[in-house]
Structures are given as C-alpha cells and as structure tokens.
Amino acid sequence: CELGRLDILLEVSLLSAFNAAPRQGHLDQAYNIFAHLKVHTPQCILFDPSTPEISVDIDFKEFKNDAWKDFYEVVGKALPSDLPSPRGASVKMLCFVDVSYASNRVTTRSHTGILIKLNGAPISWYSKRQNTVESSTFGSEFIALRIAAEMCQSLRYKLRMFDVPVDGPTMVFCDNQSVTNNVSIPTSLLNKKRNAICYHKVRECVASG
C-alpha cells in the first residue's frame, strides 16, 4: 500500500485477518488502536530528498563479472520502446525486508514486513501474513524477499514511466545471513527444493541488476 499511517500498519494488518468472525478480544485491540490515534495526533511523513550515506561491506566484483551468466541469461530490464527520457535528479531506492517467524499462534504462519524508501523518504510499505506455513526462517525470509523483489520491480518501472531516474540497483537489506549468501553469491546452491521458485526469482533480479 502507499496510503495510511505507518505506526499502525502492523496492527491493522493483524486485525484484518479476523473481519469475518471477530471476537471480544479483537474489539478490545481495535479500541487500543483508536486510543493510540487519539493520543498521537495526525502526523505527516517527512520526505527527505538527501541521498543516504550507507556504509556496507560488499564485494561488488561478484556483480561486475560474468559469473551470473553461467546461471541466468541476463536480458536486461523490460522497458517499452517509447520510454520517456529521465529528467531531474536521480533517486536512490532502498528496501528493508524482515519476517516475524511463526508469529501467528493459531496457524504458526509468519508475517512479512517490507519498507521501500526513495533517498530518505518512505514511499511504499507492506505488512501481510504469509499464505503458507514454513518450517524454518530460511523459507519465510525467501518468500518475503520474493515479494520485495516484485515490489521493487514495479516501483522502478513506475518511476521510469514518470521520467524519474533511479540511481543504480536497489539496495535490499535482509537480516538473515543464509538467505543473503544464497541470493548474492552466484555459485551458492539451494538445499531446500520447496523454496526453489522464490530462490530463482530473487537471484534473477540480482543477476539483472
């Protein structure tokens, strides 16, 4: 979504799962949300145009050589022929992904949270329960990364159609080291076959830049 208040995004997402048959406890939690809104008057989102300074330890040689071509045919970005030329200053896209593993006490499903920023401004956010039950955080994080990759692709296409130039590839931040290694190292292999679709989708996005 691109509208709404970020401070109650998770709470509203959790309560919306019980719209069909709410109980008294769900109503009490809804009252708590309204109490929060009453105390915290309407706020505004700060759109910071400054380019963020991020210091990360990344070996960019993995992305500059032809190692990815052995696994994926890099065809570039799918853009129309009548794409308008970029205008104005470029923006840097940042994506933050995290998962609350097995947080649902009834179904043990995980909850995905995604925040996308342009420079220092939050532009798009996502909070939703996953559709499947994963037996490990590895699988849950891969599902979240696949959703984040699709959101970034859609937003980058929208920006380019609005004549907004995007500076370089999107920087995606994930706190799971195993998932990070599997998607960023070309020779890394997947040991869990049930996560193959999300695995190849994210790696293909990395290979295409």
Side-chain angles (χ1 to χ4, degrees), residues 47-52 54 86-95 116-123 152 155-171:
F47 288 91
D48 185 7
S50 60
T51 304
I54 300 176
R87 302 179 181 178
S90 62
V91 295
K92 185 70 176 179
M93 185 183 295
L94 307 176
C95 180
I116 300 178
K117 301 176 68 176
L118 294 181
N119 290 346
I123 296 297
C152 290
L155 183 56
R156 290 178 69 93
Y157 181 82
K158 183 186 298 185
L159 291 172
R160 290 294 289 110
M161 295 304 294
F162 285 161
D163 300 352
V164 179
V166 182
D167 182 19
T170 303
M171 298 190 67

Side-chain angles (χ1 to χ4, degrees), residues 37-48:
L37 295 176
K38 183 177 180 180
V39 174
H40 299 80
T41 56
Q43 305 291 324
C44 60
I45 298 177
L46 177 62
F47 288 91
D48 185 7

Side-chain angles (χ1 to χ4, degrees), residues 122-139:
I123 296 297
S124 180
W125 42 88
Y126 178 96
S127 178
K128 188 177 180 180
R129 183 183 60 186
Q130 295 184 357
N131 296 327
T132 58
V133 179
E134 293 296 325
S135 58
S136 65
T137 57
F138 183 86

Side-chain angles (χ1 to χ4, degrees), residues 71-72 142 190 195-205:
F71 303 92
Y72 302 97
F142 251 125
L190 178 68
N195 301 126
I197 295 178
C198 298
Y199 168 82
H200 289 291
K201 171 62 178 179
V202 177
R203 282 171 59 89
E204 191 177 64
C205 292

